[in-house]
Amino acid sequence: MKAVRVQRLKAEDVRRFAERIGAKDRSRLVVCKGEYVEIPILDGFERFFEGYDIVEQENPLFARKNDLFEILKDEIPRDLWDLIPRRYKIIGDVVMIKIPEELEEYKKKVGEAILRIHKRCKSVWRDLGREGMIRKPKVELIAGSGSETIHRENGCLFKLDVTKVMFSVGNQGERMRIVNVVQDGEVVLDMFAGIGYFTIPIAVHTNARRIYSIEINPESYFYLIENIRLNRVNNVIPILGDSMNVTPEGFAERVVMGHIFCHEFLPVAVKSLRSDGYIHYHESVPEVVIDRPIERIRSVCESLGREVRIENFRKVKNYSPGVLHVVVDAYIY
Ligand SMILES: C[S@@+](CC[C@H](N)C(=O)[O-])C[C@H]1O[C@@H](n2cnc3c(N)ncnc32)[C@H](O)[C@@H]1O
């Protein structure tokens, strides 16, 4: 059983190349050995790796039989193998997966395979994106049944219906980071509360005095109320409305702006601060204009006669090719 032996630094490029030309033996795992990595290849492909060592693997590690690819490769033609999804998200007992167009006719098989792997899950939904400012999910049922679930994350419960509201598993790190910056006794404003993505962890894990949580979509608001009840927190004040119009002025010490298209709300956020305070501003930004979120904050503060100190600028996750979801922590005074 052959493998290409490459230095760690080059491993990812070579792995991708092997995948692209159909040379990678996906029944075996990539193995790290000190400074080197062994990428398993199928017999007959050795000549494509001129300049690299081809080794005979002594103790190959095999992919587990419950690997999605392993189940599907017998059901899907070989020329489509590269398109078999490698990742999917589990929200409570519901699975969300992106499936390329080319696998349209195999989507049911994909869903059923996932349910075979994750026996505790009840349904698999194809993730087709999100629409508009309320980020309504576009989804399609491909296996099983049921869309309402309770997701557990870092000691918090999030009840939601995946056909009505989104849940971004990739924002988990940011949800916990915010918990660590909130100070005892603070009044927090969550301007785009959703089902309580930030509100609930702050309420559960910090000693914030009050959390004002504004949400415009009645379907998300319904689950926000459910989650306040489920998590037994009593310092959240939920508000159904448009934060552009209903946000009071001069009361908050910290503002969470957890919507990636919310720059027009920056003046409202700044005005909501009692005196000095923090704004955690999210934006989806192309890498070529990476400073745009900071420039927008500075410009709004300048127009309102406020000073600003940028304390942190970090990537939350990749949003799309060349576009990042970032968050800026700005101290306004
Ligand atoms: C889906 S969340 C963003 C995701 C979240 N940051 C996370 O961690 O997963 C954004 C929420 O803002 C709400 N929203 C959009 N425009 C709003 C507005 N003008 N006022 C209040 N809420 C709004 C949407 O309905 C949605 O529930």
Side-chain angles (χ1 to χ4, degrees):
M1 294 204 158
K2 300 203 171 48
V4 187
R5 186 169 172 271
V6 288
Q7 285 189 316
R8 262 172 194 267
L9 274 177
K10 292 196 175 151
E12 187 51 18
D13 288 345
V14 176
R15 185 193 64 75
R16 284 210 192 125
F17 172 70
E19 292 269 12
R20 199 167 60 242
I21 63 169
K24 185 159 173 284
D25 180 353
R26 293 174 82 166
S27 69
R28 283 177 287 151
L29 298 176
V30 171
V31 182
C32 296
K33 287 190 174 166
E35 278 308 292
Y36 290 90
V37 172
E38 288 179 6
I39 297 160
I41 56 164
L42 298 164
D43 286 347
F45 282 92
E46 299 84 340
R47 66 199 162 86
F48 291 97
F49 298 91
E50 225 172 84
Y52 293 104
D53 287 345
I54 305 290
V55 294
E56 195 68 41
Q57 280 194 310
E58 284 170 7
N59 298 306
L61 285 178
F62 290 96
R64 286 184 298 156
K65 275 280 176 265
N66 64 1
D67 179 274
L68 185 58
F69 175 81
E70 278 305 298
I71 296 180
L72 289 173
K73 74 174 195 202
D74 298 331
E75 317 221 22
I76 291 180
R78 197 188 176 105
D79 58 323
L80 296 176
W81 281 5
D82 279 354
L83 299 172
I84 295 176
R86 296 164 153 266
R87 287 183 297 178
Y88 43 85
K89 291 167 189 158
I90 301 181
I91 302 174
D93 55 1
V94 166
V95 180
M96 307 290 295
I97 186 165
K98 290 199 166 104
I99 300 178
E101 289 277 298
E102 295 88 333
L103 293 184
E104 175 69 29
E105 66 178 286
Y106 303 100
K107 64 188 177 191
K108 209 162 161 249
K109 289 187 191 301
V110 174
E112 284 163 357
I114 292 177
L115 287 186
R116 250 182 282 155
I117 296 170
H118 299 279
K119 298 218 164 18
R120 68 171 190 86
C121 290
K122 63 184 178 193
S123 59
V124 182
W125 294 80
R126 186 178 186 179
D127 180 352
L128 296 162
R130 289 150 196 183
E131 277 177 329
M133 270 304 270
I134 64 166
R135 316 291 291 138
K136 188 166 172 76
K138 285 199 284 177
V139 291
E140 177 194 1
L141 183 66
I142 55 170
S145 64
S147 55
E148 191 174 80
T149 189
I150 297 180
H151 183 69
R152 288 169 176 74
E153 181 186 283
N154 296 317
C156 301
L157 300 174
F158 297 97
K159 189 171 178 184
L160 71 150
D161 183 327
V162 297
T163 66
K164 295 179 178 160
V165 299
M166 57 161 280
F167 190 89
S168 186
V169 176
N171 294 0
Q172 177 176 2
E174 181 59 18
R175 286 190 277 276
M176 281 321 275
R177 189 185 74 90
I178 284 296
V179 160
N180 291 318
V181 299
V182 171
Q183 304 294 307
D184 289 356
E186 271 185 358
V187 174
V188 179
L189 164 64
D190 186 355
M191 280 179 87
F192 306 94
I195 63 166
Y197 311 101
F198 290 105
T199 290
I200 296 297
I202 293 171
V204 167
H205 292 295
T206 78
N207 292 317
R209 185 148 64 90
R210 291 238 186 298
I211 306 145
Y212 291 83
S213 305
I214 306 177
E215 172 53 45
I216 199 169
N217 175 8
E219 290 184 315
S220 298
Y221 183 78
F222 170 82
Y223 285 106
L224 173 64
I225 302 292
E226 283 284 283
N227 290 328
I228 292 169
R229 189 184 54 78
L230 265 180
N231 289 279
R232 297 166 190 230
V233 290
N234 53 19
N235 55 349
V236 179
I237 300 173
I239 300 165
L240 176 62
D242 182 341
S243 52
M244 187 67 93
N245 306 321
V246 302
T247 306
E249 290 192 9
F251 77 103
E253 285 151 321
R254 187 177 297 275
V255 182
V256 180
M257 301 182 74
H259 196 303
I260 52 173
F261 305 112
C262 68
H263 68 97
E264 285 166 356
F265 293 73
L266 274 166
V268 179
V270 173
K271 286 183 196 163
S272 77
L273 290 172
R274 188 174 338 160
S275 52
D276 60 330
Y278 285 91
I279 292 184
H280 305 285
Y281 170 69
H282 289 241
E283 186 171 316
S284 138
V285 59
E287 283 174 284
V288 288
V289 288
I290 197 71
D291 289 336
R292 187 178 71 186
I294 292 177
E295 284 159 10
R296 282 176 163 160
I297 297 171
R298 286 196 195 287
S299 144
V300 167
C301 288
E302 199 182 317
S303 68
L304 294 174
R306 305 292 297 264
E307 299 290 327
V308 57
R309 191 170 72 225
I310 303 299
E311 296 211 339
N312 195 5
F313 178 87
R314 67 183 287 271
K315 172 177 146 182
V316 176
K317 59 181 191 290
N318 293 325
Y319 180 69
S320 58
V323 181
L324 304 180
H325 171 174
V326 300
V327 60
V328 183
D329 297 345
Y331 176 64
I332 319 275
Y333 56 105

